[in-house]
Amino acid sequence: MTRPPVIVTGGAGFIGSHTCRALAQRGFRPIAVDDLRTGHADAVKWGPLEQVDLADTDRLATILARSGAKTVIHFAASAYVGESMQHPLSYYTNNVATTVSLLRAMARCDVTRMIFSSSCATYGIPKRLPITESTRQQPVNPYGRTKLMCEEIIRDHLTSVGGEFALLRYFNAAGADPMGTLRERHEPETHLIPLALLAAAGLRPPLKVFGTDYDTPDGTCIRDYIHVSDLARAHVCALEYLEAGGASTALNLGTGEGLSILEIADAIERLTGHPMPWQPAPRRAGDPPVLVADPSAARDVLGFAPRLSDIDTILRHAAPHFGLEVRHARVA
Ligand SMILES: NC(=O)c1ccc[n+]([C@@H]2O[C@H](COP(=O)([O-])OP(=O)(O)OC[C@H]3O[C@@H](n4cnc5c(N)ncnc54)[C@H](O)[C@@H]3O)[C@@H](O)[C@H]2O)c1
């Protein structure tokens, strides 16, 4: 079944490229819109690539009008917390101003449906766990603030034009396409699982563990890791939900299970036979000890539940891209 085209900003990036694959598998035609500042042209395999900066409203409007798309899935952003603290204006420009530019282009073409990549970073340091969608959003860094501002701008604009939206707040994306056709390639890499795998493969120095004295069972930070192909599928669920007339929504995308850094180190060693060398480092400002989602709203609203997000499956799909063989993983 051939279904309508969908514009995917950031479609050459990690989560965007996996989502293009998931869309194509469900019969949609993904059109990636990406200026390749951190993305990779060779990750765009399931539809055309329009190489354009989202700041260019006129070109966006031309692409939108020509495509006939009725939905935009908006991944394109700068996404490094540390960098956002050093260069906040770049983040307000590339995340907030470009979202306004994109919404203006959509308005010109009467496109009124958006699915947006938000983040658990909008919650800051939560007082209670797990984090639900009604947990107060109090971001503690410019990156998180840009995501919260975008949520509010999208909500205000699309409500004013009678459109609809899904604001999807991801926890930690990890893993890689099970078929091996895509992988995580951030430069510089700051995400824990690729850094840990690179350290285990001897391709990088030992992993710096920022804080070993948190109030967690082993003293290291706990995060909620969701497989990127599960995340991608959640976007297709959100698209089908909105197309079927579902009300606009904001949803957490996580598993509800947390893993500490040292638990990940143990899993890597167990699965690959390689120890993951690490060294303690001071805590980083603004790093919450534990971030774990309450995933029940996504299940209730979208009928979405992760299928690949146990740590063995995440590592089984990611490790080969870092030259590590996984010998003992449970098969999901
Ligand atoms: N990776 C995670 O764990 C995670 C967690 C929460 C939220 N997110 C959000 O998910 C989205 C995707 O993250 P990712 O990890 O795939 O990042 P990524 O860097 O791999 O992908 C972002 C893509 O956007 C493109 N892009 C950036 N600015 C652009 C612009 N002005 N014009 C055109 N293209 C532009 C980049 O070239 C890149 O291909 C981001 O919005 C990020 O904030 C990611």
Side-chain angles (χ1 to χ4, degrees), residues 13-15 34-35 37-39 53-54 75 94 143 147 173 186:
F14 173 47
I15 309 172
D34 197 304
D35 68 358
R37 72 182 62 198
T38 58
D53 183 339
L54 295 194
F75 292 101
N94 197 45
Y143 167 70
K147 289 289 170 182
H186 291 113

Side-chain angles (χ1 to χ4, degrees), residues 92-302:
Y92 290 109
T93 305
N94 197 45
N95 293 1
V96 182
T98 53
T99 296
V100 174
S101 166
L102 175 62
L103 290 168
R104 281 195 192 286
M106 290 168 61
R108 278 197 218 163
C109 305
D110 213 14
V111 176
T112 57
R113 189 183 298 134
M114 179 181 271
I115 298 170
F116 174 63
S117 291
S118 190
S119 168
C120 63
T122 61
Y123 293 113
I125 303 179
K127 292 203 176 66
R128 283 208 201 96
L129 293 163
I131 299 171
T132 71
E133 289 75 4
S134 52
T135 297
R136 195 145 169 224
Q137 288 176 288
Q138 288 182 303
V140 292
N141 52 59
Y143 167 70
R145 281 189 277 277
T146 66
K147 289 289 170 182
L148 180 55
M149 286 176 194
C150 288
E151 284 197 13
E152 289 170 346
I153 291 166
I154 292 163
R155 185 182 276 118
D156 284 344
H157 169 65
L158 290 180
T159 303
S160 79
V161 297
E164 60 270 4
F165 53 86
L167 310 171
L168 303 181
R169 299 176 188 147
Y170 319 151
F171 282 63
N172 289 60
D177 164 40
M179 303 307 291
T181 57
L182 292 167
R183 65 191 170 96
E184 186 161 8
R185 274 185 286 171
H186 291 113
E187 286 150 21
E189 191 51 79
T190 60
H191 293 90
L192 180 83
I193 289 183
L195 286 176
L197 288 168
L198 286 164
L203 299 171
R204 280 181 72 111
L207 182 80
K208 279 192 184 150
V209 176
F210 297 103
T212 52
D213 57 352
Y214 284 104
D215 185 16
T216 59
D218 63 24
T220 66
C221 286
I222 292 177
R223 296 288 180 267
D224 182 337
Y225 295 90
I226 179 163
H227 194 295
V228 64
S229 297
D230 279 334
L231 263 187
R233 187 166 50 80
H235 289 74
V236 179
C237 294
L239 172 57
E240 292 175 342
Y241 162 81
L242 292 176
E243 278 189 337
S248 294
T249 187
L251 297 169
N252 289 338
L253 293 177
T255 65
E257 304 287 334
L259 281 177
S260 75
I261 297 174
L262 296 187
E263 284 175 317
I264 289 180
D266 285 349
I268 290 175
E269 185 161 350
R270 174 169 55 77
L271 293 170
T272 68
H274 288 256
M276 192 210 76
W278 63 277
Q279 63 184 54
R283 291 183 182 197
R284 285 183 303 200
D287 251 352
V290 184
L291 286 175
V292 175
D294 177 340
S296 55
R299 187 189 58 224
D300 296 345
V301 174
L302 303 181

